[in-house]
Amino acid sequence: MSIPDTLGKLLIETVKGHQLGGAFLMLGRQGFVGSRRGQSAKDFEAAIQTHLPGLTEDDLRNPDNAYSETFFAKLGFDSVDSLDFSDFENASVIHDLTQPVGADLTARFDVIYDGGTCEHVFELPTAYRNIDRMLRPGGVLIGHSPCNNWINHGFYQITPEMVYGFWQKAMGYEVLDLLLQPIRPAHAAKTARTTNPNETGVRPRIKGELPAGSPVILHYVVRKPLTEQAQGGVYQTDYMKRWSDDED
């Protein structure tokens, strides 16, 4: 996947808003698209001016190729790596996410960016648990995953229920942000949030109105606990409530 203006804006705001830094890993070697047109391009430029004063969009581009290492370096990370199944795009780390990571990758990164990789990995739980192993305590995962109207893009469309059910409830991560972001430039501002099923006891409900038919990206930011916690099972919230009510 690549980083267009809409997602670039979210990345800038997330990294600077939460003062993230240190060792950075992107899953897949992400391309850098930058400005497209209309509202999304204006919003991206505003984010650069606000959070990266003195820089232009051209300063964020790799000088010799269309990838995104320069973008993340300019955001302030000390090191920028990319992980992929093969070296076809010259990723700096070669690993199959369907297989557990080794000691060399365990607790190595402060921030991991899944910019549209894990939905292409059939063994999704293994890929997610690899992310958990690669993050240092207190580390942050930023996810941009197809959520709706992406049929046949990958094996999965990732939902808010996955973030709240797996990352928060089962793994003990703190949810710092979760947003439904339409990807088309004209719909850049038509975002929506959801309720938290761990608080309401029912599946997430959309708060707002998304544009009909527009592909939607799930933007989420979660922080790993500082201390190791016992991991629970992963079940949908409202089914757990039904099981509990039936037992009563």
Side-chain angles (χ1 to χ4, degrees):
M1 200 165 170
S2 296
I3 302 170
D5 44 21
T6 310
L7 303 186
K9 169 184 176 289
L10 289 172
L11 285 165
I12 292 172
E13 292 174 343
T14 296
V15 171
K16 293 304 182 181
H18 293 287
Q19 300 180 321
L20 305 181
F24 176 87
L25 176 71
M26 62 180 107
L27 304 183
R29 195 177 180 199
Q30 297 289 316
F32 183 80
V33 175
S35 291
R36 293 175 293 172
R37 60 188 182 277
Q39 187 62 50
S40 61
K42 293 177 183 178
D43 291 345
F44 185 47
E45 176 61 25
I48 294 173
Q49 292 180 3
T50 299
H51 297 285
L52 302 171
L55 296 182
T56 68
E57 183 175 333
D58 285 342
D59 294 326
L60 306 181
R61 297 183 179 276
N62 279 14
D64 302 320
N65 55 55
Y67 295 104
S68 59
E69 286 83 3
T70 298
F71 173 68
F72 289 110
K74 294 293 186 181
L75 289 184
F77 290 104
D78 298 329
S79 62
V80 178
D81 281 290
S82 53
L83 180 151
D84 213 328
F85 176 86
S86 80
D87 62 359
F88 80 115
E89 289 187 307
N90 297 314
S92 59
V93 178
I94 306 303
H95 182 79
D96 179 358
L97 284 173
T98 69
Q99 303 300 315
V101 296
D104 60 324
L105 292 174
T106 298
R108 179 169 159 182
F109 300 102
D110 297 288
V111 177
I112 294 178
Y113 176 50
D114 176 13
T117 292
C118 283
E119 74 268 15
H120 300 285
V121 181
F122 183 72
E123 300 294 340
L124 183 63
T126 302
Y128 278 173
R129 294 189 188 282
N130 277 332
I131 291 172
D132 174 63
R133 292 189 187 100
M134 290 190 289
L135 279 173
R136 292 169 178 161
V140 169
L141 166 64
I142 305 171
H144 285 159
S145 300
C147 184
N148 197 31
N149 293 315
W150 292 80
I151 189 169
N152 289 331
H153 172 79
F155 288 116
Y156 305 99
Q157 295 187 90
I158 311 301
T159 67
E161 182 84 61
M162 179 72 81
V163 177
Y164 290 118
F166 178 74
W167 290 110
Q168 185 178 56
K169 191 172 184 64
M171 302 296 287
Y173 279 52
E174 177 187 4
V175 178
L176 302 178
D177 196 14
L178 188 146
L179 181 73
L180 299 173
Q181 174 67 67
I183 199 64
R184 290 175 180 163
H187 297 154
K190 299 177 181 178
T191 60
R193 298 190 179 276
T194 75
T195 57
N196 183 340
N198 295 325
E199 298 172 354
T200 64
V202 296
R203 296 180 189 182
R205 303 292 191 255
I206 296 176
K207 299 163 64 177
E209 186 174 347
L210 293 167
S214 177
V216 175
I217 288 285
L218 174 64
H219 162 78
Y220 63 95
V221 186
V222 292
R223 189 188 298 276
K224 184 174 181 175
L226 288 171
T227 57
E228 187 172 350
Q229 299 187 8
Q231 298 179 7
V234 185
Y235 310 99
Q236 279 197 272
T237 313
D238 51 358
Y239 285 115
M240 293 179 66
K241 185 176 186 304
R242 292 181 192 179
W243 298 333
S244 176
D245 289 347
D246 185 63
E247 290 176 357
D248 294 341

